Amino acid sequence: MYKVSKFGGSSLSSVQEWKKVKAIVEADDDRHIIVVSAIGKALPTDNKVTDLLYLVYQHHKYHVAYDSLFREVKEKYLSIKRELGLNVDIESDFDEIQERLENDRISEEELVSRGEYFSARLMADYLGFDFVDSKELINFDYNGQVVEEETLDCIERAVSVHDYMVVPGFYGSYPNYKICLFSRGGSDVTGAYLAKGAKADLYENFTDVSGFYMADPRIILHPRHISQISYDELRELSYMGAGVLHEETILPLIDEDIPILVLNTNHPEEEGTWVKKEVTSRQHLITGISGKKGFLALTFLKKRSVSKLSIILQVLNLFNAYHLQVEHIPTSIDTFSIVVEKNAMEEKYYDLIADLKRIPGILAITEDEDLAMIAIVGGNMVHHAGASGEILSVFGRHKVNVKLIDQGLEEYQMLIGVSNADFEKSIHALYDRFAHEKLAPTAS
Ligand code: ASP
């Protein structure tokens, strides 16, 4: 058995956590590749190293003193080094980084990546594993997309040389060898590429919870635990806000069908959640419920005589030109809506609206900026006629106005748009209705 095991920032947030990581790794010889994040929060009031490094860069850029922030980062790593009695020389790396920052010779991406780099240097020393820099393994193109074939080749070569290694998550390199970052939380994705490149049997993802729960524990107290979930279900839940794994984690793993097991560093004996291509025994109609507030819908009324397709294409081209991710496009005969995350729109809003109004054939644009989206996900829905009706009736019974409905033909998820104020109430109502309903087991 060959395992890749990734430990998130909270699993590295104190010296006790580092000891737990070592005990977990040493308990199983199959754990060949260890991927680490930057040091995270031990307490809710703590600062994550990655956030601090972004701040250091911005302070320096705007000529504001950054020394205390830099010192805070440095001290986090040096105290781990001291308390674990490690020897690896990270002090000179810190000096070099500071010197390059002073002389504007380090990019923001490189500076921010140093959190993962220092975690990996120390962890390699602590475990007695080889340190292998992800700069040598994960190859990006100039658009920040992973060049998969090259990346897998590099990983394969590293695996043939290093039996046991520690690799920093979250970054790789552009073709010019400068550092490129994944999006936030991207160490999960690094681990997934390593699992694929190493042809691993299992990708373990250690975090501070025992896997996935049917709903957000910040909204539902002690929600039902999910023991198995399919790649597709997970991707929907993660995309709509279930924060345990980065939504792109599964992409490298789908073809090879490498399972992910999400486990808790503080309770490695607990069950965790298996993420697989096929889930064989789903007991519930609904696997999970997630969602996010803060969406905005622009609704376009077009002239009857103008082709809907041509107008939608022009509108989408503009969204693309403004680098705005379109979430949903519900349509009717003469109207269609575009749903986007409000935050992403902020600075671009007025320019975009002005450009949209210039498209010939659009009669009016109205907007609804009070939209929360809820994803109800369940691979069993496709086997049960009436599932959508059941879901919608929950909203009706609780007098929640449904603004938008979106269900794909695969039928493993339904998206419902409601007012932000109805968000928590809807999650509670859905959870109460579906959490404990059991179905006769069906294969997916
Ligand atoms: N440290 C990075 C972040 O906070 C990446 C990661 O932890 O996965 O986003």
Side-chain angles (χ1 to χ4, degrees):
M1 186 83 147
Y2 192 106
K3 296 182 186 174
V4 172
S5 310
K6 181 250 164 183
F7 292 87
S10 56
S11 306
L12 303 163
S13 58
S14 68
V15 77
Q16 288 76 13
E17 295 294 317
W18 284 65
K19 288 180 180 166
K20 288 178 198 167
V21 171
K22 184 169 180 151
I24 290 170
V25 174
E26 290 187 342
D28 186 350
D29 289 350
D30 294 337
R31 296 186 169 119
H32 283 265
I33 304 183
I34 308 302
V35 178
V36 285
S37 285
I39 291 178
K41 293 182 185 199
L43 300 167
T45 47
D46 277 352
N47 294 315
K48 284 177 83 169
V49 159
T50 308
D51 295 332
L52 289 170
L53 289 168
Y54 272 113
L55 279 175
V56 167
Y57 191 84
Q58 290 304 319
H59 275 62
H60 173 66
K61 186 170 164 193
Y62 293 106
H63 310 289
V64 180
Y66 64 81
D67 308 49
S68 66
L69 293 168
F70 194 80
R71 235 180 295 121
E72 192 179 335
V73 173
K74 190 170 169 182
E75 188 43 37
K76 280 182 193 275
Y77 287 96
L78 290 185
S79 72
I80 297 286
K81 174 177 166 172
R82 253 190 331 266
E83 289 181 55
L84 295 177
L86 305 176
N87 295 318
V88 60
D89 174 20
I90 55 171
E91 288 83 343
S92 50
D93 277 327
F94 270 108
D95 292 344
E96 189 217 300
I97 291 168
Q98 194 164 8
E99 201 246 5
R100 286 174 58 208
L101 184 62
E102 278 303 310
N103 296 306
D104 297 322
R105 285 195 298 109
I106 190 164
S107 68
E108 182 173 32
E109 289 186 278
E110 181 171 357
L111 181 70
V112 170
S113 75
R114 296 304 83 183
E116 272 64 18
Y117 170 83
F118 286 119
S119 289
R121 292 281 309 278
L122 290 177
M123 187 59 80
D125 194 18
Y126 187 38
L127 298 176
F129 284 17
D130 295 340
F131 167 80
V132 179
D133 198 341
S134 14
K135 194 177 170 180
E136 316 289 341
L137 303 179
I138 311 283
N139 298 280
F140 288 92
D141 63 20
Y142 284 115
N143 295 318
Q145 300 299 318
V146 173
V147 186
E148 182 155 330
E149 217 169 296
E150 268 176 41
T151 296
L152 299 180
D153 280 353
C154 292
I155 295 170
E156 210 179 314
R157 250 177 283 131
V159 167
S160 68
V161 179
H162 307 278
D163 207 5
Y164 289 94
M165 57 177 146
V166 178
V167 179
F170 192 36
Y171 70 91
S173 54
Y174 289 109
N176 63 5
Y177 208 49
K178 291 216 165 25
I179 297 283
C180 175
L181 297 178
F182 282 107
S183 57
R184 293 299 303 266
S187 300
D188 290 335
V189 190
T190 310
Y193 278 107
L194 281 152
K196 182 170 190 179
K199 301 188 175 57
D201 302 291
L202 177 62
Y203 174 26
E204 292 177 322
N205 196 293
F206 284 90
T207 177
D208 53 3
V209 285
S210 295
F212 283 87
Y213 291 85
M214 185 179 166
D216 187 340
R218 287 168 301 186
I219 300 175
I220 304 288
L221 197 65
H222 307 306
R224 192 186 79 213
H225 180 258
I226 302 174
S227 44
Q228 283 188 34
I229 187 168
S230 74
Y231 289 141
D232 292 329
E233 290 174 315
L234 175 67
R235 192 157 149 75
E236 291 297 338
L237 286 176
S238 306
Y239 186 65
M240 284 307 292
V244 180
L245 279 184
H246 190 292
E247 78 231 24
E248 280 167 27
T249 311
I250 59 159
L251 297 181
L253 305 173
I254 294 179
D255 294 341
E256 315 302 320
D257 200 1
I258 299 171
I260 310 172
L261 178 56
V262 183
L263 289 166
N264 190 339
T265 306
N266 300 306
H267 299 284
E269 72 293 348
E270 283 185 6
E271 188 193 1
T273 300
W274 283 94
V275 187
K276 305 169 173 180
K277 197 168 192 167
E278 302 283 326
V279 172
T280 43
S281 56
R282 277 198 198 88
Q283 295 182 340
H284 300 275
L285 179 63
I286 305 300
T287 307
I289 303 162
S290 65
K292 288 194 238 175
K293 290 182 180 176
F295 287 91
L296 175 125
L298 292 176
T299 299
F300 299 83
L301 174 66
K302 69 163 191 63
K303 269 192 194 150
R304 287 208 186 93
S305 55
V306 178
S307 136
K308 184 161 81 180
L309 181 62
S310 119
I311 296 231
I312 293 184
L313 279 175
Q314 291 177 69
V315 168
L316 288 181
N317 274 334
L318 269 179
F319 275 82
N320 189 34
Y322 277 86
H323 301 288
L324 284 167
Q325 179 82 28
V326 170
E327 305 292 337
H328 309 282
I329 318 176
T331 68
S332 64
I333 300 177
D334 288 317
T335 69
F336 59 92
S337 302
I338 303 273
V339 179
V340 281
E341 281 206 59
K342 226 170 134 183
N343 275 346
M345 279 278 272
E346 251 166 24
E347 293 158 13
K348 306 169 181 174
Y349 180 82
Y350 292 104
D351 292 339
L352 174 70
I353 296 288
D355 282 345
L356 287 168
K357 283 187 172 158
R358 276 188 212 111
I359 297 177
I362 291 183
L363 293 176
I365 305 174
T366 49
E367 81 178 50
D368 180 344
E369 51 167 349
D370 173 24
L371 191 61
M373 299 295 294
I374 298 173
I376 300 113
V377 177
N380 259 340
M381 286 202 265
V382 68
H383 306 292
H384 292 270
S388 321
E390 284 288 311
I391 292 170
L392 288 172
S393 70
V394 171
F395 290 88
R397 270 201 306 282
H398 288 81
K399 310 250 174 304
V400 171
N401 179 36
V402 170
K403 296 184 170 196
L404 187 154
I405 304 171
D406 190 345
Q407 186 185 40
L409 284 171
E410 307 88 2
E411 288 184 54
Y412 58 79
Q413 66 120 333
M414 191 169 183
L415 278 166
I416 306 281
V418 298
S419 283
N420 287 313
D422 286 331
F423 180 71
E424 281 86 1
K425 175 180 168 183
S426 305
I427 303 260
H428 273 284
L430 289 164
Y431 183 81
D432 291 346
R433 168 66 186 81
F434 294 111
H436 303 295
E437 183 187 54
K438 281 214 170 180
L439 298 170
T442 35
S444 61

Short mmCIF file of all heavy atoms in Angstrom, two decimals, residues 154-180:
data_model
loop_
_atom_site.label_atom_id
_atom_site.label_comp_id
_atom_site.label_asym_id
_atom_site.label_seq_id
_atom_site.Cartn_x
_atom_site.Cartn_y
_atom_site.Cartn_z
N CYS A 154 7.53 14.57 -13.23
CA CYS A 154 8.45 15.02 -12.17
C CYS A 154 8.19 14.25 -10.86
O CYS A 154 9.12 13.86 -10.16
CB CYS A 154 8.28 16.52 -11.89
SG CYS A 154 8.81 17.54 -13.24
N ILE A 155 6.91 14.06 -10.56
CA ILE A 155 6.58 13.35 -9.31
C ILE A 155 7.06 11.90 -9.39
O ILE A 155 7.67 11.37 -8.45
CB ILE A 155 5.06 13.42 -9.02
CG1 ILE A 155 4.65 14.88 -8.76
CG2 ILE A 155 4.68 12.53 -7.83
CD1 ILE A 155 3.16 15.13 -8.69
N GLU A 156 6.82 11.30 -10.55
CA GLU A 156 7.23 9.90 -10.72
C GLU A 156 8.74 9.75 -10.51
O GLU A 156 9.21 8.83 -9.83
CB GLU A 156 6.84 9.44 -12.12
CG GLU A 156 6.52 7.97 -12.18
CD GLU A 156 6.12 7.55 -13.60
OE1 GLU A 156 5.29 8.26 -14.22
OE2 GLU A 156 6.66 6.53 -14.06
N ARG A 157 9.48 10.71 -11.08
CA ARG A 157 10.94 10.67 -10.94
C ARG A 157 11.34 10.84 -9.47
O ARG A 157 12.18 10.12 -8.95
CB ARG A 157 11.60 11.75 -11.79
CG ARG A 157 12.35 11.14 -12.97
CD ARG A 157 12.97 12.19 -13.88
NE ARG A 157 11.95 12.80 -14.72
CZ ARG A 157 11.77 14.10 -14.90
NH1 ARG A 157 12.55 14.96 -14.29
NH2 ARG A 157 10.84 14.55 -15.72
N ALA A 158 10.70 11.77 -8.78
CA ALA A 158 11.03 12.00 -7.35
C ALA A 158 10.73 10.75 -6.52
O ALA A 158 11.51 10.37 -5.64
CB ALA A 158 10.24 13.20 -6.82
N VAL A 159 9.62 10.10 -6.83
CA VAL A 159 9.23 8.91 -6.08
C VAL A 159 10.25 7.78 -6.28
O VAL A 159 10.53 7.01 -5.36
CB VAL A 159 7.80 8.46 -6.51
CG1 VAL A 159 7.48 7.06 -6.01
CG2 VAL A 159 6.77 9.46 -6.00
N SER A 160 10.84 7.75 -7.47
CA SER A 160 11.81 6.67 -7.72
C SER A 160 13.12 6.92 -6.96
O SER A 160 13.89 5.99 -6.72
CB SER A 160 12.07 6.51 -9.23
OG SER A 160 12.76 7.66 -9.69
N VAL A 161 13.36 8.15 -6.55
CA VAL A 161 14.61 8.47 -5.84
C VAL A 161 14.40 8.53 -4.33
O VAL A 161 15.26 8.11 -3.55
CB VAL A 161 15.15 9.85 -6.33
CG1 VAL A 161 16.44 10.22 -5.59
CG2 VAL A 161 15.37 9.85 -7.83
N HIS A 162 13.25 9.07 -3.92
CA HIS A 162 13.02 9.28 -2.48
C HIS A 162 11.94 8.31 -1.99
O HIS A 162 10.78 8.42 -2.42
CB HIS A 162 12.56 10.71 -2.21
CG HIS A 162 13.47 11.75 -2.77
ND1 HIS A 162 14.62 12.16 -2.13
CD2 HIS A 162 13.42 12.45 -3.94
CE1 HIS A 162 15.22 13.08 -2.87
NE2 HIS A 162 14.52 13.26 -3.98
N ASP A 163 12.30 7.45 -1.09
CA ASP A 163 11.33 6.48 -0.59
C ASP A 163 10.30 7.16 0.31
O ASP A 163 9.11 6.88 0.25
CB ASP A 163 12.10 5.40 0.17
CG ASP A 163 11.35 4.10 0.15
OD1 ASP A 163 10.30 4.06 -0.52
OD2 ASP A 163 11.79 3.15 0.83
N TYR A 164 10.80 8.04 1.15
CA TYR A 164 9.93 8.78 2.07
C TYR A 164 10.24 10.27 1.95
O TYR A 164 11.41 10.65 2.06
CB TYR A 164 10.16 8.33 3.51
CG TYR A 164 9.64 6.94 3.78
CD1 TYR A 164 10.48 5.83 3.68
CD2 TYR A 164 8.30 6.74 4.10
CE1 TYR A 164 9.99 4.55 3.89
CE2 TYR A 164 7.80 5.47 4.32
CZ TYR A 164 8.65 4.37 4.21
OH TYR A 164 8.15 3.12 4.42
N MET A 165 9.24 11.08 1.71
CA MET A 165 9.55 12.51 1.53
C MET A 165 8.46 13.42 2.11
O MET A 165 7.31 13.01 2.27
CB MET A 165 9.77 12.84 0.06
CG MET A 165 8.62 12.50 -0.85
SD MET A 165 9.00 13.03 -2.54
CE MET A 165 8.22 11.81 -3.52
N VAL A 166 8.88 14.65 2.39
CA VAL A 166 7.94 15.69 2.80
C VAL A 166 7.95 16.77 1.72
O VAL A 166 9.02 17.19 1.27
CB VAL A 166 8.33 16.33 4.16
CG1 VAL A 166 7.35 17.44 4.53
CG2 VAL A 166 8.36 15.28 5.26
N VAL A 167 6.74 17.18 1.32
CA VAL A 167 6.61 18.14 0.21
C VAL A 167 5.73 19.31 0.67
O VAL A 167 4.67 19.08 1.26
CB VAL A 167 5.96 17.44 -1.01
CG1 VAL A 167 5.78 18.40 -2.17
CG2 VAL A 167 6.78 16.23 -1.45
N PRO A 168 6.14 20.54 0.42
CA PRO A 168 5.26 21.66 0.77
C PRO A 168 4.06 21.74 -0.16
O PRO A 168 4.19 21.54 -1.37
CB PRO A 168 6.15 22.90 0.56
CG PRO A 168 7.43 22.43 -0.05
CD PRO A 168 7.43 20.95 -0.18
N GLY A 169 2.89 22.05 0.39
CA GLY A 169 1.69 22.21 -0.43
C GLY A 169 1.61 23.60 -1.02
O GLY A 169 2.50 24.43 -0.84
N PHE A 170 0.54 23.85 -1.80
CA PHE A 170 0.10 25.20 -2.17
C PHE A 170 0.85 25.86 -3.32
O PHE A 170 0.39 26.82 -3.87
CB PHE A 170 0.15 26.10 -0.92
CG PHE A 170 -0.52 27.43 -1.01
CD1 PHE A 170 -1.70 27.62 -1.72
CD2 PHE A 170 0.01 28.53 -0.34
CE1 PHE A 170 -2.34 28.85 -1.76
CE2 PHE A 170 -0.60 29.77 -0.37
CZ PHE A 170 -1.78 29.93 -1.08
N TYR A 171 2.04 25.38 -3.68
CA TYR A 171 2.74 26.10 -4.76
C TYR A 171 3.50 25.16 -5.68
O TYR A 171 3.69 23.98 -5.40
CB TYR A 171 3.69 27.15 -4.18
CG TYR A 171 4.93 26.62 -3.46
CD1 TYR A 171 6.13 26.41 -4.14
CD2 TYR A 171 4.90 26.33 -2.11
CE1 TYR A 171 7.26 25.94 -3.49
CE2 TYR A 171 6.03 25.87 -1.44
CZ TYR A 171 7.20 25.67 -2.14
OH TYR A 171 8.32 25.20 -1.50
N GLY A 172 3.92 25.73 -6.78
CA GLY A 172 4.76 25.04 -7.76
C GLY A 172 5.50 26.13 -8.50
O GLY A 172 5.72 27.22 -7.94
N SER A 173 5.87 25.88 -9.78
CA SER A 173 6.58 26.94 -10.48
C SER A 173 6.06 27.16 -11.89
O SER A 173 5.54 26.24 -12.53
CB SER A 173 8.09 26.64 -10.52
OG SER A 173 8.29 25.36 -11.06
N TYR A 174 6.19 28.41 -12.32
CA TYR A 174 5.89 28.78 -13.71
C TYR A 174 7.01 28.23 -14.60
O TYR A 174 8.08 27.85 -14.10
CB TYR A 174 5.89 30.32 -13.85
CG TYR A 174 4.72 31.02 -13.20
CD1 TYR A 174 4.90 31.80 -12.05
CD2 TYR A 174 3.44 30.96 -13.77
CE1 TYR A 174 3.83 32.47 -11.47
CE2 TYR A 174 2.37 31.63 -13.19
CZ TYR A 174 2.57 32.38 -12.05
OH TYR A 174 1.52 33.05 -11.48
N PRO A 175 6.83 28.27 -15.93
CA PRO A 175 7.91 27.78 -16.81
C PRO A 175 9.23 28.50 -16.58
O PRO A 175 10.30 27.95 -16.82
CB PRO A 175 7.36 28.05 -18.22
CG PRO A 175 5.88 28.07 -18.06
CD PRO A 175 5.61 28.61 -16.69
N ASN A 176 9.19 29.76 -16.10
CA ASN A 176 10.46 30.47 -15.84
C ASN A 176 11.01 30.17 -14.44
O ASN A 176 11.92 30.84 -13.98
CB ASN A 176 10.29 31.98 -16.03
CG ASN A 176 9.29 32.57 -15.05
OD1 ASN A 176 8.79 31.87 -14.15
ND2 ASN A 176 8.99 33.85 -15.20
N TYR A 177 10.40 29.19 -13.77
CA TYR A 177 10.89 28.68 -12.49
C TYR A 177 10.56 29.60 -11.32
O TYR A 177 10.98 29.41 -10.20
CB TYR A 177 12.41 28.43 -12.57
CG TYR A 177 12.90 27.35 -11.64
CD1 TYR A 177 12.27 26.10 -11.58
CD2 TYR A 177 14.00 27.55 -10.82
CE1 TYR A 177 12.72 25.10 -10.73
CE2 TYR A 177 14.47 26.56 -9.96
CZ TYR A 177 13.82 25.34 -9.93
OH TYR A 177 14.26 24.36 -9.07
N LYS A 178 9.75 30.64 -11.59
CA LYS A 178 9.29 31.49 -10.48
C LYS A 178 8.11 30.79 -9.81
O LYS A 178 7.41 29.99 -10.44
CB LYS A 178 8.87 32.86 -11.02
CG LYS A 178 10.02 33.70 -11.53
CD LYS A 178 9.77 35.15 -11.22
CE LYS A 178 10.92 36.09 -11.33
NZ LYS A 178 12.02 35.85 -12.14
N ILE A 179 7.88 31.17 -8.54
CA ILE A 179 6.84 30.47 -7.78
C ILE A 179 5.43 30.87 -8.23
O ILE A 179 5.14 32.05 -8.42
CB ILE A 179 6.99 30.79 -6.27
CG1 ILE A 179 8.33 30.28 -5.73
CG2 ILE A 179 5.81 30.25 -5.46
CD1 ILE A 179 8.41 28.81 -5.47
N CYS A 180 4.56 29.87 -8.35
CA CYS A 180 3.15 30.09 -8.67
C CYS A 180 2.31 29.41 -7.59
O CYS A 180 2.64 28.30 -7.16
CB CYS A 180 2.85 29.48 -10.04
SG CYS A 180 1.11 29.55 -10.50
#
